[in-house]
Coordinates of all heavy atoms in Angstrom, one line a residue:
P1500 N -3.8 16.7 -27.0 CA -4.6 16.2 -28.1 C -4.3 14.7 -28.4 O -3.2 14.3 -28.2 CB -4.2 17.1 -29.3 CG -2.8 17.6 -28.9 CD -2.8 17.6 -27.4
F1501 N -5.4 14.0 -28.9 CA -5.1 12.7 -29.4 C -5.7 12.5 -30.8 O -6.6 13.2 -31.1 CB -5.5 11.6 -28.4 CG -7.0 11.3 -28.3 CD1 -7.5 10.3 -29.0 CD2 -7.8 12.1 -27.5 CE1 -8.9 10.0 -29.0 CE2 -9.1 11.9 -27.4 CZ -9.7 10.8 -28.2
Y1502 N -5.2 11.5 -31.5 CA -5.6 11.3 -32.9 C -5.8 9.8 -33.0 O -5.0 8.9 -32.6 CB -4.4 11.7 -33.8 CG -4.1 13.1 -33.7 CD1 -3.2 13.6 -32.8 CD2 -4.6 14.0 -34.6 CE1 -2.9 14.9 -32.7 CE2 -4.3 15.4 -34.6 CZ -3.4 15.8 -33.6 OH -3.1 17.2 -33.5
T1503 N -6.9 9.4 -33.6 CA -7.2 8.0 -34.0 C -8.2 8.0 -35.1 O -9.0 9.0 -35.2 CB -7.7 7.2 -32.7 OG1 -7.9 5.9 -33.1 CG2 -9.0 7.8 -32.2
T1504 N -8.3 6.9 -35.8 CA -9.3 6.8 -36.8 C -10.5 5.9 -36.3 O -11.5 5.7 -36.9 CB -8.8 6.1 -38.1 OG1 -8.2 4.9 -37.8 CG2 -7.8 7.0 -38.8
D1505 N -10.3 5.4 -35.1 CA -11.2 4.5 -34.4 C -12.2 5.3 -33.6 O -11.9 5.7 -32.4 CB -10.4 3.4 -33.6 CG -11.3 2.3 -33.0 OD1 -12.5 2.6 -32.7 OD2 -10.8 1.2 -33.0
D1506 N -13.4 5.5 -34.1 CA -14.4 6.3 -33.4 C -14.8 5.7 -32.0 O -15.0 6.5 -31.0 CB -15.6 6.5 -34.2 CG -15.3 7.4 -35.4 OD1 -14.3 8.1 -35.5 OD2 -16.1 7.4 -36.4
A1507 N -14.9 4.4 -32.0 CA -15.3 3.8 -30.7 C -14.2 4.0 -29.7 O -14.5 4.3 -28.5 CB -15.6 2.3 -30.9
L1508 N -13.0 3.8 -30.1 CA -11.8 4.0 -29.2 C -11.8 5.5 -28.7 O -11.6 5.8 -27.5 CB -10.5 3.7 -29.9 CG -9.2 3.9 -29.1 CD1 -9.1 3.0 -27.9 CD2 -8.0 3.7 -30.1
A1509 N -12.1 6.4 -29.6 CA -12.1 7.8 -29.2 C -13.1 8.1 -28.2 O -12.9 8.8 -27.2 CB -12.3 8.7 -30.5
L1510 N -14.3 7.5 -28.3 CA -15.4 7.8 -27.3 C -15.0 7.2 -26.0 O -15.2 7.8 -25.0 CB -16.7 7.2 -27.9 CG -17.4 8.0 -29.0 CD1 -18.6 7.2 -29.5 CD2 -17.9 9.3 -28.4
D1511 N -14.5 5.9 -26.0 CA -14.1 5.3 -24.8 C -13.0 6.1 -24.1 O -13.0 6.3 -22.9 CB -13.6 3.8 -25.1 CG -14.7 2.9 -25.3 OD1 -15.9 3.3 -25.1 OD2 -14.4 1.7 -25.6
L1512 N -12.0 6.6 -24.9 CA -10.9 7.4 -24.3 C -11.5 8.6 -23.7 O -11.1 9.0 -22.5 CB -9.9 7.7 -25.4 CG -8.8 6.7 -25.7 CD1 -8.1 7.1 -26.9 CD2 -7.9 6.6 -24.5
A1513 N -12.3 9.3 -24.3 CA -12.9 10.5 -23.8 C -13.7 10.3 -22.5 O -13.5 11.0 -21.5 CB -13.8 11.2 -24.8
R1514 N -14.4 9.2 -22.5 CA -15.2 8.8 -21.3 C -14.3 8.5 -20.1 O -14.4 9.1 -19.0 CB -16.1 7.6 -21.6 CG -16.9 7.1 -20.4 CD -18.0 6.2 -21.0 NE -17.5 5.1 -21.8 CZ -17.0 4.0 -21.4 NH1 -16.8 3.8 -20.1 NH2 -16.5 3.1 -22.3
H1515 N -13.2 7.7 -20.3 CA -12.3 7.4 -19.2 C -11.5 8.6 -18.8 O -11.2 8.8 -17.6 CB -11.4 6.2 -19.6 CG -12.2 4.9 -19.6 ND1 -12.6 4.3 -18.4 CD2 -12.6 4.1 -20.6 CE1 -13.3 3.2 -18.8 NE2 -13.3 3.1 -20.1
A1516 N -11.1 9.4 -19.7 CA -10.3 10.6 -19.4 C -11.1 11.5 -18.5 O -10.5 12.0 -17.5 CB -9.9 11.3 -20.7
R1517 N -12.4 11.6 -18.8 CA -13.2 12.5 -17.9 C -13.4 11.9 -16.5 O -13.3 12.5 -15.5 CB -14.6 12.7 -18.6 CG -15.5 13.6 -17.9 CD -16.8 13.8 -18.7 NE -16.5 14.7 -19.8 CZ -16.9 16.0 -19.7 NH1 -17.6 16.5 -18.7 NH2 -16.6 16.8 -20.7
A1518 N -13.7 10.5 -16.5 CA -13.9 9.8 -15.2 C -12.6 9.9 -14.3 O -12.7 10.0 -13.1 CB -14.3 8.4 -15.5
E1519 N -11.5 9.8 -15.0 CA -10.2 9.8 -14.2 C -9.6 11.2 -14.0 O -8.6 11.4 -13.3 CB -9.2 9.0 -14.9 CG -9.6 7.5 -15.2 CD -9.9 6.8 -13.9 OE1 -9.2 6.9 -12.9 OE2 -11.0 6.1 -13.9
Q1520 N -10.3 12.2 -14.5 CA -9.7 13.6 -14.6 C -8.2 13.5 -15.1 O -7.3 14.0 -14.5 CB -9.8 14.3 -13.2 CG -9.6 15.8 -13.4 CD -9.7 16.7 -12.2 OE1 -10.6 16.4 -11.3 NE2 -8.8 17.6 -12.0

Side-chain angles (χ1 to χ4, degrees):
F1501 76 96
Y1502 300 83
T1503 182
T1504 55
D1505 186 324
D1506 293 341
L1508 177 64
L1510 284 172
D1511 282 356
L1512 275 169
R1514 178 165 51 82
H1515 287 290
R1517 183 173 284 256
E1519 302 303 315
Q1520 201 179 315

